Amino acid sequence: MSDTLLFGHDGLARAIAVAFRAAGTPDDTALAIADMLVDANLSGHDSHGIQMVKYYLDCQAQGGLDAHATPRVFDESGAVVRIDGGRGFGAVTGAFAMQHGIANARKNGVALVALANSHHLGRIGRWAELCLESGMVSVHFVNVWGHRPLVAPWGGRKIRLGTNPICAGMPATANHPAFVLDFATSRVAFGKVGVAFDKGEVLPEGVMMDRDGAMTRDPGAMVDNEDGGALIAMGEHKGSGLAVLCDLLAGVLTGNGVGTPERQDGDTTINGMLSFVIDPDALGGFAAMESEIEALYDWVRSSLTAEGHDAILLAGDPERIAREDRMAHGIPLAAAAWEGFIEAAMLQGVTREALEQAVSSS
Ligand code: NAD
C-alpha cells in the first residue's frame, strides 16, 4: 500500500484550477472543472476526481478536447432540446445541458435533452444533483467512445463496449435525503482500476478478465496495458444489455454515434447523454408524492441486514456520507495520485511550489 495524504477540498480545487489556467483553459472553465473533479472526490468517487487532471490535459494537448468550445442548442422543439457539446469539457457541457433541460421541463412538464459530442462528463450523479437543486426528477443514459472499449459483452472475452453509465435522481423528502442512483454498467468504473493501481491494491473478485479471458484481480492487467484484458459487465447479461441500451439511447438518438472500432482507436473520451428531466409539478406536485416515497424508503430500510452488512443504504447514501466526512476531515489521496497531478501540472509550466501554495492558502 502506498502513503495517503489529506487535503482540504478548497485547496485541491484551487490547485486544479491553477493547472488548467496554465494550460490555456479559460478561467471560468478551469473553475468549473476544478469544482466538478473535487466534488467527485468529496462524494467518495476518487476515480473521477483529481486523478482525471492528467488525462484531461493530455486530451487537450492532443486535440481530443476543445478547451474553448461553447456548447450550443442547435434544435429545440417542444420538450426536445438537442445540444452539440463541441468536444468541450464535460464540466461545461453537462451544466449547460441540465440548465436547458430544467428550464424546458418547467415549461413543458418534461424535457428530453439529447447531448452529443461532449468530452468526459465525469460523475453522472452530478447532473442528477443539479436537477435536484431545482426540484426535478431526472434519468440519464450515457455512452462512451473515443478510446479503446473497456467492457466485454456478456459471454465474450474481448472488449467491445464502453462503461456506459446510467443515473437517476429523486428529490429529498421532509424526512429522507435525495435518492441518486449512478453506476457504470461494468462491475466497476475503469477509473477505480486506476485508483487501485495507484494504491497498490488488488481489485474485488469478478470484475476483470485478463487478455486470455481468465479472471484476474491485478489492475495492471488493464492499466498501462493496451493489449490487456476486459472489465466484466454488471449483472451478467442484464448489465451487458443495459450497456448496449446506453449506446442506442445516448449514441443513436442523440446523434453522438455509437462505440464502433473507428471511434474507439483514439486517446480521448466522448460522451453522449440522453436525459429525461421531469417536473413533479406536472404530475400533481412533489408534496403529494412524499408520503409514498417515504413509505417505500422506510419499508426498504426496515429489512434485517445480511451477513457482512451494518445497515441498509439507499442510492445516494454512500456519496452523502463520504461528502460529510471529507468536508469535515479532508480528502485522502494516494501519494502517487498527488504526485501524478503535480507532474501533469508542471508540464504546463506551473511550479511545484505554486501548486503547494494553492493547496495550503486559505
Ligand atoms: P458504484 O459501484 O460505486 O455504485 C454507485 C451507485 O450505487 C451509487 O448510486 C451509490 O449511491 C450506490 N451504492 C453504493 N453502495 C451502495 C450500498 N451499499 N447500498 C445501496 N446503494 C449503494 O459506482 P460505479 O459503477 O463504479 O461508477 C462510479 C462513477 O463512475 C459513477 O459516478 C458514474 O457516473 C461514473 N462513470 C462515468 C463515466 C463517463 O464516461 N462519464 C463512465 C462510467 C462511469
Side-chain angles (χ1 to χ4, degrees):
M1 286 257 205
S2 64
D3 294 339
T4 300
L5 307 168
L6 263 188
F7 295 89
H9 62 96
D10 285 342
L12 221 45
R14 275 193 299 273
I16 294 173
V18 165
F20 282 102
R21 277 192 210 104
T25 307
D27 191 50
D28 51 349
T29 302
L31 291 172
I33 302 161
D35 193 51
M36 179 179 99
L37 296 184
V38 169
D39 180 62
N41 283 118
L42 277 175
S43 61
H45 289 282
D46 294 328
S47 54
H48 287 66
I50 190 171
Q51 180 181 292
M52 298 306 291
V53 170
K54 177 182 181 332
Y55 177 64
Y56 287 2
L57 289 171
D58 285 349
C59 290
Q60 192 173 331
Q62 290 161 15
L65 162 59
D66 180 356
H68 298 273
T70 310
R72 68 185 177 94
V73 174
F74 65 90
D75 189 16
E76 183 160 4
S77 168
V80 179
V81 189
R82 301 176 73 199
I83 297 171
D84 182 343
R87 290 209 170 196
F89 276 107
V92 174
T93 59
F96 180 88
M98 292 307 100
Q99 281 151 10
H100 280 270
I102 292 163
N104 188 296
R106 266 201 218 299
K107 213 168 16 167
N108 293 305
V110 60
L112 180 71
V113 185
L115 170 63
N117 205 17
S118 170
H119 194 258
H120 189 238
L121 285 160
R123 187 180 73 88
I124 305 305
R126 179 173 177 84
W127 310 123
E129 286 159 5
L130 204 55
C131 293
L132 292 176
E133 284 172 19
S134 298
M136 298 285 164
V137 175
S138 65
V139 184
H140 312 260
F141 295 89
V142 176
N143 85 325
V144 191
W145 51 261
H147 55 68
R148 69 180 161 139
L150 297 167
V151 184
W154 179 243
R157 67 180 163 102
K158 288 292 173 195
I159 45 175
R160 288 291 178 273
L161 295 160
T163 51
N164 298 356
I166 296 175
C167 175
M170 176 65 83
T173 62
N175 297 305
H176 289 268
F179 176 90
V180 183
L181 181 62
D182 170 28
F183 56 83
T185 45
S186 46
R187 286 280 314 272
V188 295
F190 184 64
K192 291 190 175 160
V193 180
V195 170
F197 187 77
D198 279 345
K199 290 184 175 170
E201 294 175 350
V202 292
L203 296 168
E205 296 278 2
V207 305
M208 194 199 280
M209 285 182 268
D210 68 16
R211 52 172 297 180
D212 300 317
M215 299 306 293
T216 178
R217 298 184 68 190
D218 173 14
M222 282 189 85
V223 176
D224 287 337
N225 186 353
E226 287 295 313
D227 195 26
L231 293 177
I232 311 275
M234 63 167 241
E236 303 175 338
H237 54 290
K238 302 174 192 178
S240 185
L242 287 174
V244 174
L245 180 66
C246 283
D247 260 314
L248 293 172
L249 298 181
V252 178
L253 292 193
T254 63
N256 189 52
V258 300
T260 47
E262 63 281 8
R263 296 193 180 108
Q264 292 171 327
D265 65 354
D267 286 320
T268 190
T269 297
I270 300 299
N271 279 157
M273 178 161 74
L274 188 74
S275 302
F276 301 82
V277 183
I278 302 160
D279 185 350
D281 280 350
L283 295 164
F286 192 69
M289 301 171 186
E290 288 201 34
S291 63
E292 284 289 326
I293 294 170
E294 293 194 347
L296 172 68
Y297 294 165
D298 288 342
W299 177 233
V300 172
R301 285 195 200 272
S302 73
S303 167
L304 289 177
T305 54
E307 197 180 324
H309 293 263
D310 302 327
I312 308 298
L313 300 180
L314 288 169
D317 287 344
E319 289 75 15
R320 189 169 33 259
I321 292 165
R323 202 171 278 131
E324 282 166 14
D325 179 57
R326 291 179 170 203
M327 292 285 269
H329 304 113
I331 295 172
L333 278 187
W338 174 244
E339 279 307 310
F341 164 73
I342 297 260
E343 279 167 27
M346 285 174 69
L347 285 177
Q348 308 304 320
V350 190
T351 62
R352 178 180 287 270
E353 292 68 36
L355 295 164
E356 287 174 351
Q357 195 187 355
V359 155
S360 56
S361 63
S362 54

